[in-house]
């Protein structure tokens, strides 16, 4: 085996590192956690260096890997998230029941994602896809709930099996497993295209957490152990985005299905299956936003926001234009970083206070200011506000929706965007701002090794919001490599067919405004500092901070408007009931203990076998 | 963009900022007089707002911590940045680069900064006020953005200065108020929501929640918030004038349109009571969103109004 | 050398005074009042605010919280319970702040001079800038009183907050003597 830098080397190295992590954790827990840190960081550097190897094929035993532009892009984002989050493993070692298994499964999940993104043929893709599900399935019960893992596995199994059906169908039709060639051949054949679209699409949608397959996401992400939630939300759902990218861009679906459809005198801009995806994405945005607004648990809120953002990604991918796919890929990048940073801030809060319920916390900015800043930058990016990276992706998506005149989907997307201000503000106000409770008066700031990855992720959000073209150039290359048109980038400007922005300029003007405001502020008389409990209370004397903290049922008036609306969980529970009723009926009809029923079925089967000639 | 363009653009932006401050503050005072006449009384002097703002800036207020001060600066910085992009008559700091989304989102920076600072003061009434302000934003932004979508789709550009220029070229018949009347009606209702005028004054509500977010502000922070209020009125009304009334080429035309819109909004607000916050959402998600979608469908499918 | 230093200090003082004069001008013409309506005289305030007598001509307007307000209007008698809270509201206001007392009750007790739960002289607990006579004062008297306050601000005679700051111990002694120490008694501090 030659030791030239290649994808197979990285993957083999990660396998070895996972076993090493298991062994070392048995000896010394902290050392085992450090193995995960070092392994993820090393994998990230090696993958970044592998950019030049795009297009070459390597083998690892019977598995074949090839690095494509889009695979490289997804892998680097995933590795960045894994590497940053791995620092938190060190602090969670004492809290986990099986630390050795955790470290090993952590690195196996990473291996799975890398393998899936650089797979050359469908069998490799399937093997590593299942490895991802397996590894994360066993980590989730280390947190609060074992039922969450069951739901996660059930949905993922449904998706994986549907993908397996599609893979085998395509093999039967075209005789090969290689991804790009099979998909491009499928584009020419309508039946194969629709089967591939539906099966691989379902796998992607389930993994991404798009309506109606979003049930598992808040349960799994909300109940997973704290360092693993950012991996699930910022990392592994992007594997679903990868599958969706395969069917929409690599296949590509606009070549497979006809775009010559007339609707009320106007020609549609996308084929109908893409439209179906976009509608699912729009509903997912609305559902995710509304559910996130009504949450009281910090982590479930961010998990529901992942559902909403998955909707944005699917809409962008479904539109399959230059700007929209660029927007979707940039959104994958920006959301991965922002979501990971938000979950890490939540993990830091849990590490210091022990709870994620927002109505029990409050005023933590006075004890943990840096964590507050990290969380603030993360939510500014998630809400799509300049100067962070989330603004760029949202702008690109909105601009392309406006250009195509998709009024209803754009209305849902605007609703999701403004609604995101609501749910991102709630943890900020209930957890960090407001009154400091007496039981948290001596809480300390997060430890420095936790601050390091959080600050890195925040810096990434800021830097790529001010200079997004550094990432957009790579995204443009990804798009041209699959045959879509690239992005028009001129200096620091992003130019679309119906508008242009210059993010650096926006930041400069914002900075200038801030400077003027600061000069006004400093010029006038200094304010005197008063303690936090000295509030306007209509001159009543209150001595308990909890009474002055507004955190419970924060959006009660808005929630009341949709409290009675049906939930998707009810739909699934109804399906489960109907299936179990069917099973009960079958058990009554075919498996009863009454001799008469058994004789009846024996007689029917014998008659059927004899072909009715007895009668 | 080379440094020359950036420098000249910033200079134009600063001039627009100073103009906006003097223009809007005077107009606020004059509107107070007009509203007073509406109430059959005399009202204050026309330069009363200047006196209010400077009085506040010279008081020694209180401070509840660094986020209380920082949030106010971030809010005022964001709003001033947005005001610098706004085209006034035919002057624009960065023509072609002032996308409609910059106004919506840089404005949101201002709102977020103010919300952060208000809740950072530690008063629960501020939290309630911010909750109402954000909920109200969900109400008025979505119909407005759908109408803007219709406009962007029809004209093919999302830059506000270019949309204004398109309407100035061919006179009265090309103004969007004539070509998209339903959209203008929805835009005006959303403007009332944006300005925080009754019936959408829910988030201030002086008698219910003791002025909401502003409950713990005094001294220079409140002065900066009043400045912020003036600049945000300028941005919202200018946006309406540029998008729906065709901007203006002469000072007189601009003054008539701007003053007309603002005084009409103020007078309507004086005759109505205040909604509760769930009534606000129910209101906006009934007729305004329906009319906005109808307008969008008219522009997209029938091609009228382009 | 010392002459130039003196000249600089003089200029600096003149600049400060000039700035003070400007801010006094703004403060006088834009007074925001806190509607802390304690007693019966508060009935006369809505008349002063609305169309017939129109306080807004003077630049005055109502504000919701002490932090935002300049003027605290003590309208009428003050029971011991209310006085404690009025003191809290007065201390929450931002300087420079003024206090206007309505009616005879803050001056010498008014018609409640022999009640056991009412204080007789407000001036011993909080510094008063302007008294308005009348039981209760008609709106014309109220507007006259406000105009007196504005003139007082303009020629520097209305400096109640400075008196409070300089004689803080004396005021506190009087307050504790009449109101007693503040005992916290609620279900969280039993």
């Amino acid at each position: 085996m030659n030791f030239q830098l290649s994808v197979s080397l990285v993957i083999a190295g990660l396998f070895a590192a996972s076993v090493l992590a298991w062994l070392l954790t048995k000896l010394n827990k902290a050392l085992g956690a450090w193995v995960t840190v070092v392994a993820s960081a090393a994998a990230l550097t090696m993958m970044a260096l592998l950019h030049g190897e795009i297009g070459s094929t390597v083998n690892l035993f019977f598995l074949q890997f090839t690095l494509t532009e889009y695979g490289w892009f997804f892998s680097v984002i995933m590795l960045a998230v894994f590497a940053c989050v791995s620092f938190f493993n060190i602090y969670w070692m004492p809290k986990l029941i099986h630390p050795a298994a955790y470290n090993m499964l952590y690195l196996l999940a990473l291996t799975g994602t890398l393998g899936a993104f650089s797979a050359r043929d469908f069998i490799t893709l399937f093997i590593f896809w299942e490895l991802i599900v397996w590894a994360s399935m066993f980590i989730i019960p280390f947190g609060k709930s074992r039922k969450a893992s069951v739901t996660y596995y059930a949905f993922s199994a449904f998706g994986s099996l549907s993908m397996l059906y599609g893979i085998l169908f395509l093999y039967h039709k075209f005789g090969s497993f290689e991804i790009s060639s099979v998909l491009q051949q499928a584009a020419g054949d309508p039946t194969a295209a629709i089967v591939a679209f539906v099966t691989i699409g379902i796998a992607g949608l389930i993994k991404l957490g798009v309506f109606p397959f979003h049930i598992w996401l808040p349960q799994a992400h909300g109940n997973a152990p704290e360092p693993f939630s950012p991996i699930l939300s910022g990392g592994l759902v992007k594997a679903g985005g990868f599958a969706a990218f395969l069917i929409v861009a690599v296949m590509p679906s606009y070549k497979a299905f006809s775009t010559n459809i007339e609707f009320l005198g106007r020609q549609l801009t996308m084929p109908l299956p893409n439209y179906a995806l976009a509608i699912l994405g729009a509903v997912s945005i609305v559902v995710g936003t509304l559910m996130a607004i009504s949450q009281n648990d910090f982590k479930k809120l961010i998990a529901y926001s992942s559902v909403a953002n998955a909707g944005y990604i699917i809409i962008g991918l479904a539109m399959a234009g230059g700007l929209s796919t660029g927007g979707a890929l940039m959104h994958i990048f920006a959301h991965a970083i922002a979501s990971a940073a938000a979950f890490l801030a939540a993990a830091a809060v849990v590490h210091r206070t022990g709870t994620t319920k927002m109505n029990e916390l409050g005023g933590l900015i006075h004890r943990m200011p840096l964590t507050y800043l990290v969380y603030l930058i993360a939510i500014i990016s998630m809400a799509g506000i300049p100067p962070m990276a989330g603004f760029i992706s949202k702008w690109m998506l909105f601009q392309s929706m406006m250009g195509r005149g998709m009024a209803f989907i754009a209305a849902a997307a605007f609703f999701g965007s403004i609604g995101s201000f609501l749910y991102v503000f709630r943890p900020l106000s209930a957890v960090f701002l407001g009154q400091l409770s007496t039981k948290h008066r001596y809480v300390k700031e997060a430890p420095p090794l936790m601050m390091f990855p959080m600050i890195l992720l925040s810096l990434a959000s800021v830097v790529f919001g001010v200079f997004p073209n550094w990432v957009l150039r790579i995204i443009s290359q990804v798009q041209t490599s699959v045959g879509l048109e690239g992005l028009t980038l001129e200096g620091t400007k992003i130019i679309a067919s119906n508008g242009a922005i210059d993010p650096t300029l926006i930041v400069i003007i914002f900075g200038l405004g801030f400077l003027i405001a600061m000069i006004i502020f400093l010029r006038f008389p200094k304010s005197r500092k008063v303690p936090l409990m000295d509030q306007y209370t209509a001159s009543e004397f209150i001595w308990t901070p909890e009474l002055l903290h507004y955190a419970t049922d924060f959006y009660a008036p808005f929630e009341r408007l949709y409290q009675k609306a049906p939930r998707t969980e009810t739909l699934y529970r109804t399906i489960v009931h109907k299936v179990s009723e069917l099973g009960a009926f079958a058990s009554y009809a075919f498996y009863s203990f009454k001799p008469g029923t058994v004789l009846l079925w024996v007689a029917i089967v014998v008659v059927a076998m004899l072909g009715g000639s007895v009668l | 963009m080379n440094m020359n363009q950036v420098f000249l653009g910033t200079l134009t932006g600063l001039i627009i900022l100073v103009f906006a401050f003097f223009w809007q503050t005077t107009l606020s005072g004059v509107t107070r007089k007009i509203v007073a006449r509406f109430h059959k009384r005399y009202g204050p002097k026309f330069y009363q707002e200047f006196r209010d703002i400077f009085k506040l800036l010279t008081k020694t207020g209180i401070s509840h911590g660094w986020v209380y001060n920082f949030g106010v600066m971030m809010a005022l910085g964001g709003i001033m940045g947005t005001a610098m992009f706004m085209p006034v008559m035919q002057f624009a700091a960065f023509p072609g680069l002032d996308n409609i989304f910059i106004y919506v989102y840089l404005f949101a920076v201002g709102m977020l900064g103010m919300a952060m600072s208000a809740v950072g003061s530690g008063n629960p009434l501020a939290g309630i006020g911010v909750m109402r302000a954000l909920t109200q934003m969900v109400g008025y932004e979505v119909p407005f953005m759908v109408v803007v979508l219709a406009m962007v789709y029809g004209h093919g550009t999302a830059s506000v200065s270019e949309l204004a220029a398109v309407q100035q070229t061919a006179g009265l018949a090309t103004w969007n108020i004539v070509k998209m009347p339903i959209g203008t009606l929805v835009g005006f209702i959303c403007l009332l929501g944006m300005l925080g005028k009754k019936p959408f004054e829910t988030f201030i509500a002086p008698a219910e929640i003791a002025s909401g977010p502003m409950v713990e502000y005094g001294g220079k922070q409140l002065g900066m918030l009043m400045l912020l209020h003036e600049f945000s009125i300028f941005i919202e009304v200018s946006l309406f004038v540029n998008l729906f009334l065709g901007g203006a080429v002469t000072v007189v035309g601009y003054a008539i349109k701007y003053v007309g819109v603002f005084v009409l909004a103020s007078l309507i607000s004086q005759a109505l009571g205040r909604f509760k916050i769930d009534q606000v959402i129910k209101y906006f998600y009934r007729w305004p969103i329906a009319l906005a979608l109808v307008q969008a469908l008219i522009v997209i499918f029938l091609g009228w109004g382009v | 050398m010392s002459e130039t230093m003196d000249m600089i200090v003089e200029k600096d003082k003149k600049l400060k005074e000039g700035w003070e004069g400007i801010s006094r001008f703004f403060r006088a013409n834009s007074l925001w009042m806190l509607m802390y309506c304690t007693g019966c005289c508060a009935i006369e305030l809505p008349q002063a605010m609305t169309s017939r007598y129109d306080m807004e001509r003077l630049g005055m307007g109502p504000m919701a919280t002490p932090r935002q307000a300049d003027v605290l209007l003590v309208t009428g008698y003050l029971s011991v319970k209310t006085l404690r809270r009025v003191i809290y509201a007065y201390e929450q206001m931002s300087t420079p702040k003024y206090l206007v007392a309505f009616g005879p009750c803050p001056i010498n007790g008014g018609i409640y001079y022999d009640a056991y739960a009412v204080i007789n002289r407000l001036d011993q607990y909080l510094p008063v800038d302007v008294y308005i006579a009348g039981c209760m004062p008609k709106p014309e008297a109220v507007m006259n009183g406000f105009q007196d306050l504005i003139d007082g601000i303009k020629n520097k005679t209305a400096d109640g907050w400075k008196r409070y700051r300089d004689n803080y111990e004396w005021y506190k002694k009087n307050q504790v003597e009449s109101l007693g120490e503040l005992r916290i008694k609620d279900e969280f501090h039993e």
Side-chain angles (χ1 to χ4, degrees):
Chain A
M1 186 160 42
N2 55 342
F3 283 99
Q4 185 199 18
L5 189 62
S6 66
V7 178
S8 54
L9 181 69
V10 177
I11 292 183
L14 279 176
F15 264 121
S18 64
V19 176
L20 182 65
W22 189 83
L23 288 170
L24 275 183
T25 320
K26 288 286 189 195
L27 295 171
N28 177 352
K29 292 186 196 169
L31 205 57
W34 272 106
V35 170
T36 57
V37 176
V38 170
S40 333
L44 174 64
T45 6
M46 286 199 270
M47 196 48 108
L49 292 171
L50 273 173
H51 184 73
E53 294 275 334
I54 289 181
S56 60
T57 315
V58 283
N59 290 358
L60 182 67
F61 308 114
F62 60 93
L63 308 161
Q64 293 190 314
F65 301 108
T66 175
L67 203 54
T68 51
E69 282 277 357
Y70 56 89
W72 182 82
F73 179 71
F74 275 91
S75 309
V76 168
I77 299 177
M78 201 70 48
L79 277 166
V81 171
F82 267 91
C84 285
V85 175
S86 58
F87 283 91
F88 275 63
N89 291 343
I90 308 170
Y91 295 97
W92 251 262
M93 287 293 107
K95 302 188 207 195
L96 293 167
I97 354 170
H98 303 289
Y102 178 84
N103 286 332
M104 180 180 82
L105 292 170
Y106 186 90
L107 286 176
L108 278 181
L110 177 57
T111 325
T113 49
L114 275 186
F117 292 155
S118 20
R120 183 157 183 273
D121 58 275
F122 272 119
I123 293 295
T124 321
L125 173 68
F126 187 73
I127 291 177
F128 282 97
W129 189 273
E130 283 298 290
L131 183 62
I132 303 175
V133 175
W134 253 72
S136 37
M137 176 180 106
F138 284 115
I139 294 188
I140 293 176
F142 289 168
K144 291 184 220 153
S145 148
R146 294 171 86 171
K147 191 158 159 289
S149 179
V150 172
T151 326
Y152 172 60
Y153 185 63
F155 273 91
S156 299
F158 183 65
S160 309
L161 289 174
S162 114
M163 186 161 78
L164 187 63
Y165 177 78
I167 293 173
L168 293 176
F169 182 88
L170 289 173
Y171 179 69
H172 176 75
K173 259 243 152 149
F174 300 114
S176 140
F177 278 120
E178 203 205 321
I179 296 183
S180 37
S181 73
V182 164
L183 285 178
Q184 272 157 8
Q185 282 177 303
D189 180 1
T191 344
I194 195 80
V195 168
F197 191 90
V198 171
T199 51
I200 302 184
I202 285 187
L205 289 181
I206 289 182
K207 203 85 182 112
L208 199 53
V210 174
F211 178 89
F213 308 116
H214 63 281
I215 307 289
W216 65 270
L217 225 150
Q219 289 181 17
H221 295 192
N223 293 325
E226 272 71 30
F228 204 66
S229 295
I231 302 286
L232 280 173
S233 169
L236 300 183
V237 296
K238 308 302 186 269
F242 182 77
F245 189 80
L246 280 183
I247 53 171
V248 167
V250 176
M251 193 155 82
S253 62
Y254 59 85
K255 283 211 192 110
F257 309 113
S258 80
T259 48
N260 232 341
I261 313 168
E262 285 262 320
F263 180 66
L264 292 179
R266 188 175 149 260
Q267 197 176 42
L268 285 181
T269 51
M270 314 188 296
L272 277 179
N274 283 24
Y275 240 110
L277 274 186
I279 292 178
L280 281 182
V283 180
S284 166
I285 293 178
V286 173
V287 167
T289 311
L290 287 178
M291 290 304 295
I293 292 175
S294 57
Q295 285 301 315
N296 187 33
D297 187 299
F298 201 163
K299 286 172 48 178
K300 278 218 170 110
L301 189 142
I302 309 180
Y304 271 114
S305 93
S306 296
V307 172
N309 282 300
Y312 278 106
I313 296 174
I314 276 289
I315 291 182
L317 286 178
M319 288 200 279
L323 194 66
S324 40
T325 319
L329 291 173
M330 183 74 186
H331 198 73
I332 288 179
F333 173 70
H335 178 248
I337 293 189
S339 181
F343 265 118
L344 288 182
V349 167
V350 169
H351 181 64
R352 287 302 192 201
T353 60
T355 171
T356 54
K357 295 248 171 293
M358 291 192 279
N359 55 358
E360 293 169 16
L361 299 164
L364 286 178
I365 183 176
H366 301 279
R367 307 300 312 166
M368 305 169 78
L370 283 175
T371 317
Y372 166 77
L373 277 176
V374 166
Y375 183 72
L376 179 69
I377 294 178
I379 65 167
I380 292 182
S381 185
M382 275 207 277
I385 298 179
M388 308 299 169
F391 170 64
I392 313 292
S393 62
K394 284 240 168 100
W395 176 77
M396 290 162 81
L397 288 170
F398 285 142
Q399 197 72 40
S400 31
M401 276 191 257
M402 283 190 163
R404 298 206 194 193
M406 294 160 50
F408 288 92
I409 295 181
F414 294 141
F415 176 78
S417 180
I418 309 290
S420 72
F421 296 159
L422 265 75
Y423 64 70
V424 295
F425 189 71
R426 181 173 180 170
L428 195 73
S429 148
V431 173
F432 289 104
L433 299 172
Q435 295 288 339
L436 183 61
S437 163
T438 31
K439 56 182 193 275
H440 294 138
R441 228 181 319 155
Y442 299 112
V443 159
K444 286 190 287 193
E445 177 62 89
L449 269 180
M450 273 194 192
M451 289 311 306
F452 175 64
M454 290 205 278
I455 293 180
L456 268 184
L457 287 172
S458 310
L459 273 179
S461 263
V462 175
V463 165
F464 292 119
V466 181
F467 299 108
N469 287 5
W470 293 347
V471 178
L472 287 175
R473 265 179 248 278
I474 302 179
I475 292 182
S476 196
Q477 272 181 321
V478 169
Q479 283 175 239
T480 41
S481 78
V482 277
L484 293 165
E485 43 178 288
L487 301 165
T488 324
L489 307 165
E490 235 184 62
T492 46
K493 286 194 271 201
I494 310 174
I495 301 182
S497 62
N498 53 355
I501 57 166
D502 189 343
T504 323
L505 182 67
I506 297 176
V507 175
I508 293 176
I509 300 288
F510 176 44
L512 188 61
F514 188 81
L515 197 64
I516 300 176
M518 195 152 70
I519 293 174
I520 297 179
F521 187 81
L522 293 173
R523 175 65 194 82
F524 289 103
K526 210 164 145 51
S527 317
R528 67 183 163 102
K529 185 113 180 9
V530 294
L532 203 55
M533 283 293 284
D534 183 2
Q535 297 288 340
Y536 169 73
T537 50
S539 299
E540 197 41 74
F541 300 99
I542 298 186
W543 314 100
T544 327
E546 284 85 1
L547 288 178
L548 276 184
H549 188 53
Y550 179 59
T552 316
D553 282 339
F554 201 84
Y555 290 109
F558 187 61
E559 286 175 49
R560 260 180 258 139
L561 293 174
Y562 60 90
Q563 234 173 16
K564 306 262 178 43
R567 302 268 191 268
T568 325
E569 282 93 348
T570 331
L571 171 69
Y572 279 99
R573 229 170 279 147
T574 324
I575 295 180
V576 165
H577 274 178
K578 292 300 174 204
V579 168
S580 72
E581 270 179 30
L582 186 66
F585 174 72
S587 146
Y588 168 73
F590 305 130
Y591 295 109
S592 94
F593 286 113
K594 291 197 236 166
T597 328
V598 177
L599 276 179
L600 173 67
W601 284 115
V602 167
I604 291 180
V605 167
V606 165
V607 165
M609 284 200 319
L610 291 177
S613 57
V614 159
L615 293 170
Chain B
M1 287 206 91
N2 54 352
M3 291 315 292
N4 258 346
Q5 277 179 309
V6 173
F7 182 68
L8 280 176
T10 318
L11 208 58
T12 322
L14 286 171
I15 296 176
I16 290 181
L17 198 66
V18 171
F19 165 75
F21 170 63
F22 283 106
W23 172 248
Q24 180 54 48
T25 317
T26 321
L27 187 60
S28 285
V30 170
T31 313
R32 271 169 85 167
K33 253 193 148 23
I34 297 178
V35 161
R37 295 294 171 132
F38 202 58
H39 291 166
K40 290 197 171 181
R41 54 185 175 93
Y42 278 108
K45 298 249 189 306
F46 73 91
Y47 50 88
Q48 180 63 32
E49 291 279 316
F50 286 101
R51 297 204 281 206
D52 283 339
I53 292 179
F54 284 116
K55 174 211 64 165
L56 283 172
L57 287 173
T58 57
K59 282 182 75 155
T60 313
I62 54 112
S63 162
H64 274 295
W66 65 271
V67 83
Y68 180 81
N69 296 333
F70 174 71
V72 171
M73 285 194 272
M74 179 170 139
L76 191 55
I79 300 287
M80 284 211 255
T82 322
M84 281 203 253
F85 273 106
M86 179 62 70
V88 171
M89 294 179 267
Q90 71 266 46
F91 303 110
F94 302 102
L97 282 180
D98 56 346
N99 204 292
I100 179 76
F101 288 106
I102 296 179
Y103 295 106
V104 178
Y105 283 105
L106 208 50
F107 206 79
V109 171
M111 279 231 59
L112 181 68
M114 200 186 90
M116 209 165 79
S117 158
V119 184
S121 72
N123 201 313
L125 295 167
I128 299 180
V130 166
M131 178 270 282
R132 290 179 178 194
L134 289 173
T135 315
Q136 195 171 306
M137 214 169 156
V138 171
Y140 63 72
E141 280 290 354
V142 180
F144 187 71
M145 294 309 289
V146 173
V147 172
V148 167
L149 175 145
M151 217 183 292
V152 170
Y153 180 82
H155 289 288
T157 169
S159 154
V160 171
S161 49
E162 280 173 24
L163 280 172
V166 160
Q167 293 173 68
Q168 285 165 15
T169 46
L172 184 62
T174 52
W175 292 3
N176 281 328
I177 188 173
V178 171
K179 289 168 39 168
M180 295 193 203
I182 307 177
T184 314
L185 180 64
V186 175
F188 188 73
I189 298 177
C190 296
L191 180 69
L192 279 180
M194 284 191 223
L195 289 172
K197 298 242 172 235
K198 299 195 237 297
F200 307 115
E201 208 197 13
T202 330
F203 65 100
I204 301 287
E208 296 169 32
I209 48 172
S211 67
M214 304 192 307
V215 62
E216 280 291 308
Y217 285 106
K220 61 180 170 175
Q221 287 96 349
L222 190 58
M224 287 167 78
L225 278 187
M226 275 193 76
L227 270 179
L228 191 144
H229 189 57
E230 305 292 344
F231 281 123
S232 43
I233 298 179
F234 169 74
I235 293 170
E236 287 148 2
V237 179
S238 290
L239 204 61
F240 186 82
V241 167
N242 280 325
L243 286 178
F244 295 101
L245 293 177
V249 186
T250 58
V251 182
V252 173
Y254 185 76
I256 292 178
K257 289 181 198 178
Y258 191 103
V259 171
V261 170
F262 186 56
V263 170
L264 183 63
S266 305
L267 289 181
I268 289 179
S269 82
Q270 291 301 319
L272 296 171
R274 198 184 298 142
F275 273 161
K276 296 193 323 182
I277 188 64
D278 47 352
Q279 286 174 331
V280 168
I281 300 286
K282 277 195 254 192
Y283 173 74
F284 272 114
Y285 279 93
R286 212 174 279 168
W287 284 108
I289 190 84
L291 287 177
L293 285 170
V294 162
Q295 173 71 73
L297 292 175
I298 289 179
V299 169
I300 294 173
F301 283 104
L302 295 177
W304 296 349
V306 175
Chain C
M1 196 60 187
S2 60
E3 282 160 348
T4 43
M5 271 311 287
D6 280 337
M7 276 159 62
I8 291 176
V9 169
E10 263 305 309
K11 253 203 263 183
D12 192 42
K13 235 206 271 188
K14 278 225 185 80
L15 199 66
K16 268 213 164 100
E17 273 173 25
W19 190 244
E20 259 292 308
I22 293 178
S23 39
R24 241 181 304 120
F25 166 75
F26 287 129
R27 253 180 279 139
N29 286 313
S30 154
L31 284 168
W32 285 351
M33 37 172 264
L34 179 64
M35 293 187 290
Y36 206 107
C37 304
T38 43
C40 353
C41 290
I43 297 281
E44 303 295 338
L45 271 179
Q47 278 83 297
M49 273 196 273
T50 49
S51 296
R52 190 167 175 135
Y53 294 99
D54 195 15
M55 193 158 54
E56 210 184 359
R57 279 182 292 166
L58 303 172
M60 301 183 67
M63 265 295 149
T65 63
R67 304 268 189 224
Q68 304 162 353
D70 304 310
V71 186
L72 180 62
L73 300 178
V74 174
T75 56
Y77 70 93
L78 281 174
S79 62
V80 170
K81 236 197 225 180
T82 321
L83 178 61
R84 199 193 286 285
R85 283 144 181 86
V86 170
I87 294 172
Y88 190 26
Y90 185 75
E91 288 176 353
Q92 276 189 337
M93 285 167 70
S94 336
T95 57
K97 49 194 173 185
Y98 311 101
L99 205 155
V100 176
F102 283 41
C105 300
I107 303 178
N108 54 17
I111 54 174
Y112 305 113
Y113 73 98
D114 53 358
Y116 62 90
V118 171
I119 55 146
N120 274 357
R121 301 194 53 178
L122 181 58
D123 203 31
Q124 293 184 331
Y125 309 99
L126 287 175
V128 182
D129 291 305
V130 172
Y131 291 101
I132 305 180
C135 183
M136 34 222 75
K138 282 174 63 91
E140 290 99 337
V142 170
M143 298 290 283
N144 213 343
F146 287 150
Q147 189 59 47
D148 283 344
L149 176 65
I150 291 176
D151 294 333
I153 298 175
K154 283 194 185 142
N155 49 19
K156 295 198 253 199
T157 53
D159 57 352
W161 90 90
K162 288 191 189 146
R163 272 184 283 142
Y164 194 70
R165 186 187 62 205
D166 297 333
N167 306 329
Y168 187 63
E169 282 78 27
W170 182 76
Y171 281 110
K172 259 294 173 270
K173 184 167 75 68
N174 288 345
Q175 285 164 13
V176 167
E177 200 177 309
S178 292
L179 306 176
E181 287 285 348
L182 182 60
R183 269 172 59 236
I184 310 165
K185 196 169 192 303
D186 56 15
E187 62 263 28
F188 302 99
H189 292 89
E190 285 293 38

